[in-house]
Amino acid sequence: MKPTIYDVAREAGVSIATVSKVINRTGKISEQTRARVTDIMEAMGYAPNLVATALSSKKTYMLGLLLPDISNPYFAELARNIEDRAHELGYNIVICNTDNRVEKERDYLTFLQQKGVDGVLLATGLAHPESLDLLTDRKLPVTVIAREVPRSPVNTVLVDDYMGGLLATSHLLRLGHRDIAIIVESMDLESSRQRLKGYRAALAAHDVAFEGRRVAVSDFSVASGMDVAGAILDAADRPTAVFACNDLLAIGTIQAARARGIPVPGELSVVGFDNTFLCGIIDPALTTVGQPIRELGRQAVDLLHKQMGGEEPARQRVVLLPELVVRASTQAPGGAAEA
Amino acid sequence: MKPTIYDVAREAGVSIATVSKVINRTGKISEQTRARVTDIMEAMGYAPNLVATALSSKKTYMLGLLLPDISNPYFAELARNIEDRAHELGYNIVICNTDNRVEKERDYLTFLQQKGVDGVLLATGLAHPESLDLLTDRKLPVTVIAREVPRSPVNTVLVDDYMGGLLATSHLLRLGHRDIAIIVESMDLESSRQRLKGYRAALAAHDVAFEGRRVAVSDFSVASGMDVAGAILDAADRPTAVFACNDLLAIGTIQAARARGIPVPGELSVVGFDNTFLCGIIDPALTTVGQPIRELGRQAVDLLHKQMGGEEPARQRVVLLPELVVRASTQAPGGAAEA
DNA sequence: TTGAAAGCGCTAACAT
DNA sequence: ATGTTAGCGCTTTCAA
């Protein structure tokens, strides 16, 4: 059987309270006994049972991470950075794939609570803010990542999607494009709406009329991006550029173009969003709006950590700025160089 | 404060044992009291504290998953399938990125044990089987995924790497290639050695001499694949085909070829390994050896589940078969059609 | 500086 | 069918 704190205490001829104190470096303990107890723990191969610790201290050092799908590269990269930071701080991450389904979200959330996670990182759907109340009501620390939660006082770290949309579209406009389509992931997401807003603002700034028919909605897969882009490209008067609201959709768009023999960027410029590692892998390399994924992950963990530390109940929103990453998938219409 | 089992018991006018029994559906309880207790739990918004449950029952319903890096698409897909199956069985997954570093492996492993996970899924390095003993000694259920562990009686589920190497190479040979290079991920991995063995066996079967200089070693990144492939392609007498031991390396190879103006598959055929979703994304679409990732994940969880259920201490090895997925990156040397 | 003892919230014999 | 009670392994007052 694995040794418990009792075994160590007995062996060392002290009480369990004393052992507990040397383990946690709390209270006053003479160097003598500290040393002896430490040696004995070592010798016995003792390691504290963290479940018991959790029960009495109310801290599990576990964090829940809810995301739509870990096999999506964007979320995988995010998860990696989150886990790294959490690990530095001594926390473990429990992943939960929600597929953006409310039931799964709710499910995981209650489960995580029962398991006593110290906090939750939310990088998933949240169509219904109610599931959030479920947590805040029970005062479980939460921070939301890359999702805007209307009128809910939760810590949030996100990227300026409006600016992202602006950046992408302005880039295209500056290159000389005047007929630019946009493919959004889902109008249910505030981030999509913001990116669209940025798109419209850029058009307006360049005196280009906005046309509703140039807005297409899809979901977040390459396949659906390909379908939607296909429809756009098959139109008699197809646009000269497409702004896809995430890299996967952009890749779908490139594939749709390739399938139709439309050269990219020769006859069609494409810009994505996220700057996942996929951008460098496809051909042509994808111009995209870069999200500071690493920062996003770290800041989210840090924010949550603060909140868990009992600090400032004052919630905050950290807005990170996106940046345009120009690669090979965009050029002036007709092939001219950039203005 | 959240209600405890005591609160429910008091409210229902029964003992906590009774409440416990209705929660766990154990023992004999009259329909009457069961109903009443259930209603009261509902009304009070009671949910069992799973940390306490874990402490007394010795089951946390948590599984540790060690992998090199979740942001690697192969492992992300694996993790997804694992989590799905685990979730079906009522388990949560704690992810641990090891970067294939022994210290991190050891670290996580001891940590997970202390946290009382019910079992561990190992999809990581393991250069040193000792870390494994660390677990088996304390009889923590473990199953190893896609890694061969020499002379250790652990449950394992893997794909037949030898056959994979054979499949890939034979495909190339049947197309007519005679000068085929191979890029392996790392000679420390048994899987790499097996794939190489399959490669050699295929050559032998076609009476093609094996040449040591056609074997290149890299790590598992696209960048390194590009470097290594670059060296191969820069040789005066470059091969007509490359078998890269994972998709990322294959992609690196394609990029290296592109950078040198060598058309793929025109002047160079490339086949990868894993069949991650990347294969369909790049251009040309990548011919690869498909691993049944979904099955790999599910079976690993099921195997672990069995072992945790106390079943058969008899360990087993489940060997899944790979399958060749032909896409556009391979063709006969010189452009002729397949024989 | 050290220890006794009361929890933390639940499970599981063992009684009744 | 239901209740009593002793743990599970640790933390944390409060005394000594």
Side-chain angles (χ1 to χ4, degrees):
Chain A
M1 224 26 217
K2 276 192 291 196
T4 72
I5 198 172
Y6 284 93
D7 301 317
V8 176
R10 186 176 338 104
E11 204 75 8
V14 299
S15 74
I16 61 168
T18 302
V19 178
S20 174
K21 280 164 194 156
V22 348
I23 293 174
N24 303 300
R25 310 182 184 304
T26 62
K28 261 94 199 50
I29 297 291
S30 73
E31 245 334 299
Q32 294 227 353
T33 58
R34 165 186 307 305
R36 185 154 38 86
V37 171
T38 309
D39 288 352
I40 291 189
M41 292 196 301
E42 172 87 12
M44 301 182 74
Y46 168 79
N49 175 329
L50 266 18
V51 175
T53 304
L55 181 56
S56 49
S57 73
K58 309 273 165 230
K59 297 210 59 186
T60 56
Y61 285 95
M62 296 263 200
L63 266 26
L65 170 58
L66 268 71
L67 34 71
D69 179 6
I70 190 80
S71 72
N72 174 318
Y74 171 74
F75 290 104
E77 287 181 39
L78 185 62
R80 175 43 140 126
N81 289 300
I82 286 176
E83 204 274 326
D84 278 355
R85 182 58 182 151
H87 187 236
E88 288 175 14
L89 297 175
Y91 289 83
N92 282 128
I93 297 290
V94 177
I95 35 163
C96 308
N97 295 107
T98 67
D99 290 318
N100 276 325
R101 301 231 312 281
V102 248
E103 330 86 70
K104 288 193 82 177
E105 275 173 29
R106 219 188 342 81
D107 252 45
Y108 275 117
L109 251 23
T110 51
F111 224 135
L112 288 173
Q113 269 188 91
Q114 291 189 235
K115 294 223 174 169
V117 296
D118 297 335
V120 172
L121 264 358
L122 237 37
T124 183
L126 289 179
H128 308 273
E130 303 90 64
S131 24
L132 235 185
D133 299 337
L134 224 154
L135 299 184
T136 45
D137 284 359
R138 307 217 174 194
K139 49 191 69 165
L140 214 201
V142 175
T143 117
V144 173
I145 305 175
R147 291 280 186 273
E148 193 82 62
V149 183
R151 79 175 125 290
S152 270
V154 277
N155 275 322
T156 306
V157 28
L158 36 58
V159 88
D160 190 330
D161 290 298
Y162 172 81
M163 179 178 292
L166 196 67
L167 244 32
T169 314
S170 299
H171 168 63
L172 257 11
L173 288 162
R174 274 199 313 275
L175 284 173
H177 292 277
R178 287 298 172 271
D179 192 353
I180 305 170
I182 178 173
I183 304 180
V184 297
E185 188 177 318
S186 152
M187 283 312 256
D188 292 340
L189 298 174
E190 181 61 20
S191 58
S192 290
R193 290 192 290 265
Q194 289 298 324
R195 292 174 195 182
L196 178 57
K197 231 168 119 182
Y199 161 87
R200 296 188 63 158
L203 291 184
H206 285 251
D207 291 315
V208 174
F210 167 78
E211 292 189 65
R213 70 196 182 96
R214 285 312 192 202
V215 179
V217 179
S218 90
D219 65 29
F220 55 92
S221 70
V222 172
S224 109
M226 206 168 142
D227 285 353
V228 172
I232 294 174
L233 298 180
D234 286 337
D237 58 336
R238 69 169 133 90
T240 62
V242 172
F243 166 32
C245 283
N246 72 230
D247 291 341
L248 257 19
L249 295 180
I251 289 173
T253 302
I254 289 178
Q255 295 193 327
R258 187 184 300 146
R260 288 166 179 71
I262 301 171
V264 174
E267 291 181 26
L268 184 77
S269 284
V270 177
V271 11
F273 207 112
D274 288 349
N275 196 27
T276 52
F277 81 104
L278 300 176
C279 299
I281 276 177
I282 57 153
D283 182 38
L286 189 64
T287 291
T288 195
V289 175
Q291 292 209 38
I293 297 192
R294 182 190 152 84
E295 270 314 296
L296 217 51
R298 311 208 119 224
Q299 297 251 23
V301 175
D302 287 339
L303 216 52
L304 188 61
H305 189 228
K306 264 192 214 158
Q307 196 181 338
M308 295 185 311
E311 280 184 45
E312 48 187 330
R315 303 290 182 261
Q316 67 184 104
R317 276 168 44 103
V318 176
V319 180
L320 269 22
L321 300 186
E323 124 193 79
L324 184 72
V325 180
V326 179
R327 293 203 181 81
S329 65
T330 48
Q331 69 173 41
E338 177 157 2
Chain B
M1 227 25 216
K2 275 192 292 197
T4 74
I5 198 173
Y6 283 94
D7 300 318
V8 175
R10 185 176 340 103
E11 203 75 9
V14 299
S15 74
I16 61 167
T18 302
V19 178
S20 174
K21 280 166 193 155
V22 349
I23 293 173
N24 303 300
R25 311 183 182 302
T26 62
K28 260 95 198 49
I29 296 292
S30 75
E31 246 334 300
Q32 295 225 355
T33 60
R34 165 185 307 305
R36 186 153 39 86
V37 171
T38 309
D39 288 352
I40 291 188
M41 293 196 300
E42 171 88 12
M44 301 182 75
Y46 169 78
N49 175 329
L50 266 16
V51 175
T53 305
L55 181 56
S56 50
S57 72
K58 307 292 171 209
K59 298 207 57 162
T60 57
Y61 286 96
M62 297 263 198
L63 265 27
L65 171 58
L66 268 70
L67 33 72
D69 179 5
I70 190 82
S71 71
N72 174 317
Y74 171 75
F75 291 104
E77 285 180 41
L78 185 62
R80 174 45 139 126
N81 289 298
I82 286 175
E83 204 275 325
D84 278 355
R85 182 58 182 150
H87 188 236
E88 287 175 15
L89 297 175
Y91 289 84
N92 282 129
I93 297 289
V94 176
I95 35 163
C96 308
N97 296 108
T98 68
D99 290 318
N100 275 325
R101 301 231 313 281
V102 247
E103 330 86 69
K104 287 194 81 176
E105 276 173 28
R106 219 189 342 81
D107 252 46
Y108 275 118
L109 250 25
T110 51
F111 224 129
L112 288 173
Q113 269 188 89
Q114 291 189 236
K115 292 223 174 170
V117 297
D118 297 335
V120 172
L121 264 359
L122 237 35
T124 183
L126 286 181
H128 308 271
E130 304 90 65
S131 25
L132 233 186
D133 299 336
L134 223 155
L135 299 184
T136 45
D137 284 357
R138 308 217 173 192
K139 50 191 68 164
L140 214 202
V142 174
T143 117
V144 173
I145 305 174
R147 289 281 185 272
E148 193 82 63
V149 183
R151 78 174 125 290
S152 270
V154 277
N155 275 323
T156 307
V157 29
L158 37 57
V159 88
D160 191 329
D161 290 298
Y162 172 82
M163 178 178 292
L166 196 67
L167 244 31
T169 314
S170 300
H171 167 63
L172 257 11
L173 287 163
R174 274 199 313 277
L175 284 173
H177 293 276
R178 287 297 171 272
D179 192 353
I180 305 171
I182 176 173
I183 303 180
V184 298
E185 188 176 318
S186 153
M187 283 313 252
D188 292 340
L189 297 174
E190 180 62 20
S191 58
S192 290
R193 291 193 289 266
Q194 289 298 323
R195 290 174 196 183
L196 177 57
K197 231 169 119 181
Y199 162 86
R200 297 187 63 157
L203 291 184
H206 284 252
D207 290 315
V208 174
F210 167 78
E211 291 190 67
R213 70 193 182 97
R214 285 313 191 201
V215 179
V217 179
S218 90
D219 66 26
F220 55 92
S221 69
V222 172
S224 109
M226 206 167 141
D227 285 352
V228 172
I232 294 174
L233 298 180
D234 286 337
D237 59 335
R238 69 170 131 88
T240 62
V242 172
F243 165 33
C245 283
N246 72 228
D247 291 341
L248 256 19
L249 295 180
I251 289 172
T253 303
I254 289 179
Q255 295 193 327
R258 187 184 302 145
R260 289 166 178 69
I262 301 171
V264 174
E267 290 180 28
L268 184 77
S269 283
V270 178
V271 13
F273 206 112
D274 289 348
N275 196 26
T276 52
F277 81 104
L278 300 175
C279 298
I281 276 177
I282 56 153
D283 181 39
L286 190 65
T287 291
T288 196
V289 175
Q291 292 208 39
I293 297 192
R294 181 188 152 87
E295 271 314 297
L296 217 51
R298 312 207 118 225
Q299 296 250 23
V301 175
D302 287 339
L303 215 53
L304 188 61
H305 189 228
K306 264 192 214 157
Q307 196 182 337
M308 294 185 312
E311 280 186 44
E312 48 187 328
R315 302 292 183 262
Q316 67 184 104
R317 276 169 44 101
V318 176
V319 179
L320 268 23
L321 300 186
E323 125 191 79
L324 184 73
V325 181
V326 179
R327 294 203 179 82
S329 66
T330 49
Q331 69 173 42
E338 177 158 3

